[in-house]
Amino acid sequence: MSFPVAIQVYSVRGDASQDLRGVLAQIKEMGYDGVEFAGLYGHTPEEVRAMCQEIGLVPISAHVPYLDMIKDPEGVLGQYATIGCKYVAVPYLTEEYRPGKPAFADVIKNVEMLGAVAKKLGMALLYHNHDFEFLKIDGKYALDILYDSVPADLLQTELDTCWVNVGGENPADYIRKYSGRAPVVHLKDFAGSKSENMYELIGIEKKVEAAPQKFEFRPVGSGKQDFPAILKAAEDAGTEWVVVEQDNPSMGLTPMECAAKSRAYLKTIGC
């Protein structure tokens, strides 16, 4: 159940925007093996590649805005090939592109196109889900429709275990469902329940109402997720990397403290 562990740099984005190299060095000291980027914080791909090489972190993947990739597929994806990323992920869909909207059909076509471009550049495209892909269309989850529509050689999964849970499914079961197609799994913990404030917490949408059980992101091992079961499922599914992600800090800790706490917990369970 031992995997190389990366962290999504978005988790510590405030610190990274001030001193990316310093943050990467601290991430390495915490015991992380790699990083998944979400932006380059004003640095060139060549500079980021050099930082990772010098510090000893694997730039395993990157979250790249869907519309940025659509506007210039080869140019944008090429930046991450330059860094040395093995994977690049569609991270999020704004409301007009989500399942249930007319543009979702175009998303499926565009994801297949982007997957082909990524493959040509020596990378694999991933899709990082939230809970809104667990909308059923003709009795089938939109997330499954996406994966059924785009061939596996052009699209792999990046299942976010928090959002799978919030979407109403068991994360371990869902990882096993995509055995052989789940190279990267997001480890994300939370407390509370599905609420109107969830997307406010990731800094994207503002909602005024919150559910009685306040939804809160937590360091891995500090919330309600069963990570031993999740990691065993990932092992069974042939997962290569696990990625810690915490969209916002909690428990009175800074983002960097949350990152350290997550890594320390994973070590206690042999990961």
Side-chain angles (χ1 to χ4, degrees):
M1 232 170 33
S2 181
F3 294 94
V5 181
I7 186 169
Q8 169 49 263
V9 181
Y10 183 79
S11 307
V12 291
R13 57 195 177 277
D15 299 275
S17 67
Q18 299 298 313
D19 179 12
L20 179 59
R21 196 187 193 289
V23 164
L24 294 179
Q26 289 180 66
I27 284 169
K28 177 67 174 178
E29 288 170 12
M30 290 174 191
Y32 286 97
D33 305 291
V35 283
E36 179 175 65
F37 288 101
L40 303 183
Y41 303 98
H43 295 278
T44 66
E46 292 79 8
E47 289 169 343
V48 172
R49 181 183 63 202
M51 286 180 199
C52 290
Q53 288 174 343
E54 290 162 12
I55 292 165
L57 286 169
V58 178
I60 185 64
S61 56
H63 280 191
V64 185
Y66 168 71
L67 291 180
D68 289 357
M69 289 194 282
I70 296 304
K71 285 175 188 171
D72 182 10
E74 296 208 9
V76 171
L77 291 173
Q79 295 179 37
Y80 296 94
T82 297
I83 291 170
C85 294
K86 186 174 180 181
Y87 301 102
V88 64
V90 177
Y92 180 81
L93 297 175
T94 53
E95 195 163 351
E96 64 269 34
Y97 296 101
R98 292 180 191 170
K101 303 290 185 179
F104 185 64
D106 293 327
V107 169
I108 293 174
K109 293 175 190 172
N110 285 329
V111 163
E112 184 164 350
M113 176 272 292
L114 293 170
V117 173
K119 186 176 182 179
K120 187 169 78 170
L121 292 168
M123 300 183 294
L125 186 70
L126 308 174
Y127 184 87
H128 170 262
N129 64 278
H130 288 76
D131 68 308
F132 49 75
E133 294 90 351
F134 289 90
L135 172 75
K136 285 193 173 179
I137 300 172
D138 297 328
K140 189 173 179 180
Y141 287 134
L143 188 62
D144 295 328
I145 292 172
L146 172 66
Y147 289 130
D148 287 348
S149 301
V150 182
D153 68 318
L154 298 180
L155 182 65
Q156 299 280 296
T157 73
E158 185 175 54
L159 294 172
D160 185 298
T161 54
C162 164
W163 295 121
V164 171
N165 192 328
V166 171
E169 292 294 330
N170 180 289
D173 292 345
Y174 223 77
I175 290 166
R176 284 194 178 90
K177 177 177 182 174
Y178 285 101
S179 290
R181 199 177 178 179
V184 184
V185 169
H186 262 212
L187 304 183
K188 185 185 293 184
D189 216 344
F190 68 101
S193 57
K194 185 169 182 173
S195 68
E196 292 298 306
N197 75 323
M198 294 186 305
Y199 292 111
E200 181 179 354
L201 287 174
I202 62 174
I204 294 173
E205 295 173 359
K206 298 295 182 185
K207 301 286 185 183
V208 291
E209 296 179 12
Q213 282 185 288
K214 185 181 177 185
F215 183 90
E216 178 179 80
F217 297 111
R218 291 277 183 89
V220 172
S222 301
K224 58 169 57 175
Q225 297 271 58
D226 184 350
F227 285 106
I230 286 169
L231 291 169
K232 180 62 171 70
E235 184 179 46
D236 294 345
T239 296
E240 298 171 9
W241 280 82
V242 293
V243 178
V244 168
E245 183 179 46
Q246 186 175 344
D247 302 75
N248 264 329
S250 60
M251 303 174 67
L253 303 174
T254 68
M256 292 296 283
E257 288 168 344
C258 287
K261 188 173 177 66
S262 290
R263 189 67 190 97
Y265 165 75
L266 288 170
K267 290 176 184 175
T268 70
I269 58 171
C271 187

